[in-house]
Amino acid sequence: GGLSLDSTGTYVDTLTSALGCDSIVTLNLTVHPVYAITLDDQICEGTSYDFHGLLVDTTGQYIDTLSSINGCDSIVTLNLTVLDVLRTDLSDSICAGETYTFNGQTLTTTGIYADTMISSIGCDSIITMDLTVLPVNQATIQDTICGGELYDFLGNILSATGTYVDTIVGSNGCDSIITLELMVNPAVSFTYDDEICDGTA
């Protein structure tokens, strides 16, 4: 009857019919609510969230309007948080011949190794190991002494021909193997028998 109504209730209006009599119109009006739903959710970096057919993968607020069972709007708001994948970069070194244990893996060669675990927040935790295998240095020395002389080989006093090996710690922290090939030349001695006359030189 010319009124604008926006509340649930019963409304009555009296009109005049074509015959000149009152015509009473009763309106039972129900106002259905507009539903507003807020969702708070989180995903891990590298995954996506299906929000009513829309795949989202960044932190933010997303809004969608649906139709409720009564035909009214139903507004859904998604507050999405994308959790970071935790990354840890490690580096280490070992000497040749040694092994390195990295999260259950036994490593023996230079390289970059990665392992993925689940962090306390439920997302991937990627650990990267940059492993360097340092060489064991080897050197060979050849030397000669005369019989009766002594040779100091890294604190060891030698006097006989032979091959001697000693191991010291190199500048890189790994073994350095030094081999000495020592030759002892015999001392030569001569005996002379000679005669002179008395008074001569």
Side-chain angles (χ1 to χ4, degrees):
L3 296 174
S4 294
L5 307 173
D6 61 4
S7 300
T8 296
T10 300
Y11 301 91
V12 178
D13 195 10
T14 303
L15 306 174
T16 301
S17 69
L19 300 174
C21 298
D22 287 344
S23 179
I24 300 172
V25 178
T26 302
L27 171 64
N28 294 314
L29 180 64
T30 301
V31 177
H32 296 289
V34 172
Y35 294 100
I37 300 170
T38 300
L39 304 173
D40 294 308
D41 214 341
Q42 55 191 18
I43 59 173
C44 296
E45 177 186 347
T47 61
S48 57
Y49 187 98
D50 186 350
F51 182 57
H52 301 126
L54 175 67
L55 296 178
V56 292
D57 60 4
T58 55
T59 296
Q61 187 177 76
Y62 302 90
I63 299 173
D64 195 11
T65 303
L66 308 173
S67 181
S68 71
I69 193 169
N70 296 312
C72 298
D73 286 346
S74 180
I75 301 171
V76 180
T77 301
L78 170 65
N79 295 314
L80 183 66
T81 302
V82 178
L83 302 174
D84 291 333
V85 169
L86 301 177
R87 291 177 174 83
T88 304
D89 294 324
L90 305 173
S91 64
D92 210 343
S93 62
I94 59 173
C95 298
E98 295 180 343
T99 60
Y100 188 92
T101 301
F102 173 62
N103 291 341
Q105 301 177 63
T106 300
L107 310 177
T108 58
T109 56
T110 294
I112 297 176
Y113 303 89
D115 196 11
T116 302
M117 298 182 293
I118 302 300
S119 70
S120 60
I121 59 176
C123 294
D124 286 347
S125 177
I126 300 173
I127 300 174
T128 302
M129 168 59 67
D130 185 355
L131 183 66
T132 301
V133 178
L134 303 172
V136 171
N137 296 316
Q138 297 189 28
T140 299
I141 301 170
Q142 295 176 330
D143 213 342
T144 304
I145 60 172
C146 294
E149 293 181 344
L150 300 176
Y151 190 95
D152 185 349
F153 177 55
L154 302 173
N156 297 310
I157 306 303
L158 308 175
S159 61
T161 295
T163 300
Y164 302 91
V165 178
D166 201 355
T167 303
I168 61 173
V169 177
S171 60
N172 63 5
C174 297
D175 287 346
S176 284
I177 301 172
I178 301 176
T179 302
L180 169 65
E181 296 174 355
L182 183 64
M183 173 67 72
V184 178
N185 290 328
V188 178
S189 61
F190 295 97
T191 302
Y192 293 95
D193 292 320
D194 205 350
E195 295 178 1
I196 61 172
C197 293
D198 188 23
T200 62

